[in-house]
């Protein structure tokens, strides 16, 4: 009923406390393995909580300032962390900041990062996964306009240290389009990226 207008939805929530969900929010939600509830952060001011056990939205709270910015639904990228030092959910922002959600405390905390500067998430061109074997995040991001340099960022979840990596074959990735769809396969210890190449490259 909104004629596919990403930014023209009503602000906030309706009379029943349910969020108006805009377009492009496919990375703005995740199921928290601690509380077993889905968190939705794709609105400017609030986070919303959905409980699949009752099939309804059950909570709303103000997000931290670093997750609260205009058009955040384009770039706030959630990543569930099933095990390890930061079990819960991590949210990655356009400014290269990370926030961890503690399902028991029902609270977000910004992660104090060290080492290299973390790249920021980009609409349709950023993906993040939890490497459970090494308990680290792996972030992929390219400019919205411009070539991908093949660089990958990792974040050690035990120390919060960021490291830039340039994997072998990075030079062959310059024509990659989307980097949005990323998934880690722990059985084979490999990351799959759903990307598109120009016809001449494919």
């Amino acid at each position: 009923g909104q004629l596919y207008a990403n930014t023209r939805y009503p602000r906030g929530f309706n009379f029943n406390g349910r969020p108006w969900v805009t377009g492009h929010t496919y990375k703005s939600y995740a199921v928290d393995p601690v509380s077993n509830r889905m968190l939705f952060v794709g609105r400017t001011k609030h986070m919303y909580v959905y409980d699949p056990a009752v099939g309804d939205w059950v909570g709303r709270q103000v997000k931290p300032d670093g997750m609260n910015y205009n058009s955040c639904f384009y770039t706030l990228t959630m990543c569930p962390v099933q095990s390890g030092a930061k079990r819960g959910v991590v949210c990655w922002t356009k400014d290269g900041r990370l926030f961890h959600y503690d399902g028991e405390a029902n609270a977000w905390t910004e992660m104090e990062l060290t080492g290299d500067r973390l790249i920021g998430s980009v609409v349709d061109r950023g993906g993040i996964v939890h490497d459970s074997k090494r308990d680290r995040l792996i972030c992929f991001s390219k400019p919205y306009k411009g070539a991908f340099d093949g660089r990958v960022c990792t974040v050690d979840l035990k120390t919060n240290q960021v490291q830039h990596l340039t994997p072998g074959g990075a030079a062959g990735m310059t024509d990659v389009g989307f980097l949005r769809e990323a998934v880690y396969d722990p059985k084979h210890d490999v990351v799959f990226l759903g990307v598109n190449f120009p016809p001449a490259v494919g």
Side-chain angles (χ1 to χ4, degrees), residues 64-80:
D65 288 342
M67 293 170 57
N68 183 344
Y69 52 85
N70 187 38
S71 297
C72 61
F73 61 88
Y74 281 120
T75 54
L76 286 181
T77 305
M78 303 278 270
C79 181

Side-chain angles (χ1 to χ4, degrees), residues 166-187:
T166 303
M173 298 292 287
T174 55
D175 290 322
V176 164
F178 280 25
L179 282 173
R180 188 179 72 208
E181 315 303 341
V183 63
Y184 174 70
D185 175 5
K187 180 178 179 180

Side-chain angles (χ1 to χ4, degrees), residues 145-159:
K145 295 181 179 179
F148 178 46
D149 62 8
R151 180 178 47 169
V152 174
C153 276
T154 64
V155 183
D156 187 319
L157 291 179
K158 297 178 291 295
T159 64

Side-chain angles (χ1 to χ4, degrees), residues 39-182:
L39 312 178
F40 172 64
V41 298
R43 296 301 308 182
T44 303
K45 185 175 181 180
H46 292 100
M47 174 187 83
Y48 293 82
V49 181
Y50 180 85
D51 188 345
V54 298
D56 204 355
W57 299 93
V58 296
R60 181 182 76 243
Q61 67 186 66
V62 176
K63 298 185 302 184
D65 288 342
M67 293 170 57
N68 183 344
Y69 52 85
N70 187 38
S71 297
C72 61
F73 61 88
Y74 281 120
T75 54
L76 286 181
T77 305
M78 303 278 270
C79 181
V81 178
Q82 300 289 342
S83 61
K86 296 288 192 306
R87 185 168 182 260
V89 175
V90 172
C91 182
W92 180 32
T93 78
K94 67 178 179 63
D95 297 317
R97 298 167 72 178
L98 292 177
F99 293 82
H100 174 254
Y101 178 77
D102 182 338
E104 292 182 354
N106 187 29
W108 290 97
T109 302
E110 182 167 7
M111 296 168 55
E112 297 295 329
L113 304 177
T114 62
D116 296 329
R117 185 181 185 281
L118 181 63
I119 54 180
S121 59
V122 180
V123 59
D124 291 334
R125 283 143 174 84
I128 182 173
V129 298
H130 177 228
D131 173 358
S132 56
K133 183 175 181 178
R134 300 162 190 84
D135 197 18
R136 66 179 181 176
L137 300 174
I138 306 177
C139 303
F140 306 85
S141 182
K142 72 177 290 286
Y144 194 72
K145 295 181 179 179
F148 178 46
D149 62 8
R151 180 178 47 169
V152 174
C153 276
T154 64
V155 183
D156 187 319
L157 291 179
K158 297 178 291 295
T159 64
N160 290 356
Q161 184 172 13
V162 179
Q163 184 178 7
H164 289 190
L165 304 177
T166 303
M173 298 292 287
T174 55
D175 290 322
V176 164
F178 280 25
L179 282 173
R180 188 179 72 208
E181 315 303 341

